[in-house]
Amino acid sequence: MTTHTSVPQIGHLIGGQLSVADLRDAYDPGRLNEVVARVAVGTAEDVDRAVHAAHRAFPGWRDTPVAERVQKLLAAAELLAGSSEELAPLLVREHGGVLWEAQTDFALGAGALQHMVSLAEEFLRPVQFDDEQSFVSVEKVPRGVAAAIVPWNMPVVLTMMKLAPALVTGNTLVLKPSPFAPAALTLVLHKIAATLPPGVLNVVHGEGDVGAALCGHPLVRKVAFTGGTATGQKVVEATVPTLKNVTLELGGNDPAIVLDDADFDAALDRMLKGVYTRTGQICFAVKRVYVPRGRYQQFADAMCDRVNSYAVGHGLDPEASFGPLNNEAQFKKVLNLLDRTRNSSATLVELGRKLDPSSWDNGYYMLPHVVRDIEHTAPLSCEEQFGPVVPLIAYDNEEQVIAWANDSDYGLGSSVWTTDPDRGLAMARRIEAGSTFINTHSFESLDLRMPFGGVKQSGIGREFGAIGLSAYVEEHAIRRLK
Ligand code: NDP
């Protein structure tokens, strides 16, 4: 086992103080014998200390003029963007992505922070009515202490989608990183926290009971969670006794619907970025593809040809198209889906090449798979795989494919692929999802002006834009009679 002395120690940050007790090793998912960081494991007591620190800092931060909060957070966005060169390689080594994906996480995070913060002054302006009878002022006030629990797949941007609206509207924050990608995120949050009054931004690490303690704490008034649907349900349960406001961004099983007039080359150029980027571990990745039966073989052949050029290896290898899966549970979950598919009538096509075959078993590596001739009702079509495996399902007509796309407990993203803009829009309007993209379905589909979130069991609420800010404020209505 390799443990370098230069391995960073990642502590809690509570009320401006670092604490590094009870460290555990965090390993590289692409080199399982390599320790990447030593990370503090917190307890419910650490959560309590962090929440009280945030609670003490709240009145001062709430009363800081909004323009000053905006300036500090715009400076934080620059700090974040400027940290990418130093910290993106560390992020690669802890979450398993390739370097450009980690750099994109920092860039998207800085962009999201900058964009949401720049909306705040107009958003927070009170709405007032002044007539002969009365003066009415409807004011947006922060809720108090907010809690954020963020996952490992894109930890920086998913943090900023919560930190930006929480802090700019005057809340203070306690954030819990994922135990599977805690280091780079925490190091950059320490830098940001140092530019803010102590206690405004706190970080507590943990495994097992920290998340629940945070969600159940009576002084926490807002919880924002990104992760799996099953844990999202537990988050809601933990908040019930104290009735907190909750935002959930959960799993998805995004359909991509290829229409019979689609340009396959153009569609595949873009769609494949949405399938295999981050090894398929993105909430709004393309998770099932529906292709018209008459053009099915042509599409499947073209897709397999392209995917066969992919190379899989460690994220710091510049030749890698994508890296390993993030953790053992995720790896086993995808292997299990592959096993169940292997025992069905579908055809599992393993593609691509191993960059370093001798190290293959020293990481959660998996080659890209395309699954042909699979039914809409197969487990791989119905369950969220979160891995580099995609089912291609043949359909007979538009009514059938819309019914199948909507036949899911999830409803996060989705896409329609066509050369006819009007037909694409008409189809998009019939899909039950938080977002539908036409001729795109990947990072490049995102537009900060679009609210992001899901319907059904993909979540509650939206992030980005004014609606994202509104999740962190209460409306306080004041009326003075004349
Ligand atoms: P989870 O969704 O289970 O989330 C883990 C986090 O939730 C940890 O920080 C954990 O903290 C916290 N947590 C656990 N139990 C509770 C609770 N009762 N109350 C509050 N917080 C709690 O992450 P996994 O990595 O296990 O992923 C599971 C699945 O989720 C994946 O297979 C994938 O399908 C999906 N996923 C979706 C993502 C997305 O972007 N939407 C991102 C990552 C995963 P603690 O350690 O303290 O328990």
Side-chain angles (χ1 to χ4, degrees):
M1 188 162 307
T2 325
T3 307
H4 303 290
T5 45
S6 60
V7 167
Q9 294 198 342
I10 305 298
H12 311 300
L13 179 69
I14 299 178
Q17 301 293 315
L18 282 174
S19 68
V20 288
D22 297 326
L23 295 172
R24 62 138 192 119
D25 292 337
Y27 293 90
D28 181 335
R31 295 171 187 152
L32 293 177
N33 55 347
E34 203 166 293
V35 176
V36 175
R38 306 203 68 228
V39 187
V41 180
T43 60
E45 287 72 39
D46 295 314
V47 169
D48 190 54
R49 287 195 301 121
V51 172
H52 275 97
H55 189 62
R56 280 193 299 278
F58 173 60
W61 185 243
R62 175 195 60 200
D63 298 339
T64 300
V66 59
E68 197 179 321
R69 294 201 300 259
V70 168
Q71 285 315 314
K72 283 183 184 298
L73 292 167
L74 289 177
E78 283 187 25
L79 192 61
L80 181 60
S83 300
S84 177
E85 195 177 334
E86 176 201 348
L87 293 176
L90 175 63
L91 182 54
V92 165
R93 290 174 60 231
E94 59 180 337
H95 81 352
V98 293
L99 190 57
W100 76 262
E101 293 168 345
Q103 289 163 339
T104 301
D105 195 10
F106 276 87
L108 285 176
L113 178 54
Q114 194 268 339
H115 180 76
M116 295 200 74
V117 161
S118 64
L119 301 174
E121 286 190 80
E122 190 183 334
F123 171 79
L124 290 172
R125 206 162 287 139
V127 177
Q128 297 181 331
F129 309 94
D130 198 359
D131 57 29
E132 284 175 5
Q133 268 193 334
S134 64
F135 169 77
V136 169
S137 184
V138 180
E139 311 196 344
K140 297 189 184 82
V141 296
R143 295 179 187 275
V145 178
I149 300 176
V150 295
W152 41 263
N153 53 346
M154 295 289 288
V156 181
V157 65
L158 292 168
T159 291
M160 294 306 143
M161 285 159 73
K162 298 160 181 59
L163 180 151
L167 297 191
V168 79
T169 56
N171 303 272
T172 53
L173 185 67
V174 181
L175 184 122
K176 183 190 180 297
S178 164
F180 297 113
L185 174 66
T186 303
L187 291 175
V188 78
L189 290 177
H190 285 182
K191 289 192 206 180
I192 292 174
T195 69
L196 304 171
V200 167
L201 171 58
N202 307 275
V203 181
V204 182
H205 297 278
E207 278 184 44
D209 52 7
V210 162
L214 198 48
C215 295
H217 199 291
L219 288 179
V220 170
R221 296 308 315 147
K222 163 81 196 174
V223 174
F225 171 79
T226 298
T229 294
T231 306
Q233 287 161 344
K234 290 186 194 156
V235 164
V236 172
E237 270 173 38
T239 62
V240 165
T242 45
L243 290 180
K244 302 180 202 311
N245 180 284
V246 176
T247 303
L248 301 175
E249 199 268 276
L250 306 176
N253 191 13
D254 289 16
I257 303 177
V258 180
L259 298 187
D260 52 13
D261 64 1
D263 172 342
F264 285 179
D265 279 334
L268 283 164
D269 279 347
R270 287 185 171 172
M271 188 193 294
L272 287 174
K273 293 183 201 158
V275 179
Y276 295 103
T277 295
R278 277 304 280 117
T279 321
Q281 301 165 118
I282 295 182
C283 52
F284 72 106
V286 173
K287 306 234 170 83
R288 45 191 172 129
V289 181
Y290 293 95
V291 185
R293 199 173 299 280
R295 300 190 68 193
Y296 183 87
Q297 296 307 335
Q298 182 196 352
F299 186 90
D301 289 346
M303 185 160 177
C304 289
D305 272 356
R306 283 165 189 255
V307 175
N308 204 26
S309 69
Y310 292 177
V312 183
H314 193 275
L316 292 177
D317 184 334
E319 276 193 69
S321 312
F322 59 80
L325 288 142
N326 172 265
N327 60 69
E328 189 179 9
Q330 195 58 43
F331 186 59
K332 285 185 172 165
K333 176 178 157 181
V334 184
L335 285 179
N336 175 271
L337 272 170
L338 286 178
D339 281 346
R340 286 153 80 195
T341 306
R342 215 169 265 121
N343 294 326
S344 74
S345 58
T347 308
L348 200 59
V349 190
E350 187 179 72
L351 298 155
R353 70 192 164 94
K354 304 173 182 179
L355 277 175
D356 183 1
S358 62
S359 305
W360 192 252
D361 293 333
N362 191 29
Y364 301 122
Y365 291 106
M366 189 175 284
L367 286 170
H369 289 70
V370 171
V371 183
R372 301 175 69 142
D373 304 317
I374 185 167
E375 299 294 325
H376 159 70
T377 49
L380 185 64
S381 312
C382 302
E383 296 174 27
E384 182 184 40
Q385 64 274 51
F386 229 60
V389 179
V390 69
L392 296 192
I393 304 147
Y395 71 86
D396 295 303
N397 57 58
E398 283 187 10
E399 290 309 310
Q400 182 183 54
V401 77
I402 285 289
W404 282 354
N406 292 336
D407 177 27
S408 173
D409 290 337
Y410 294 111
L412 190 60
S414 52
S415 56
V416 179
W417 301 80
T418 174
T419 48
D420 180 340
D422 293 336
R423 199 174 164 208
L425 195 57
M427 287 291 277
R429 289 187 167 127
R430 299 180 67 193
I431 299 177
E432 296 168 358
S435 315
T436 301
F437 310 111
I438 300 172
N439 294 333
T440 178
H441 195 152
S442 65
F443 287 146
E444 71 181 8
S445 321
L446 297 178
D447 182 321
L448 292 172
R449 294 168 300 182
M450 290 172 73
F452 186 79
V455 302
K456 300 193 262 185
Q457 292 183 32
S458 286
I460 298 176
R462 293 289 180 275
E463 296 186 301
F464 290 149
I467 193 170
L469 294 174
S470 68
Y472 291 82
V473 296
E474 299 278 8
E475 291 212 322
H476 185 191
I478 300 169
R479 183 171 186 233
R480 172 165 51 84
L481 274 188
K482 291 186 177 168

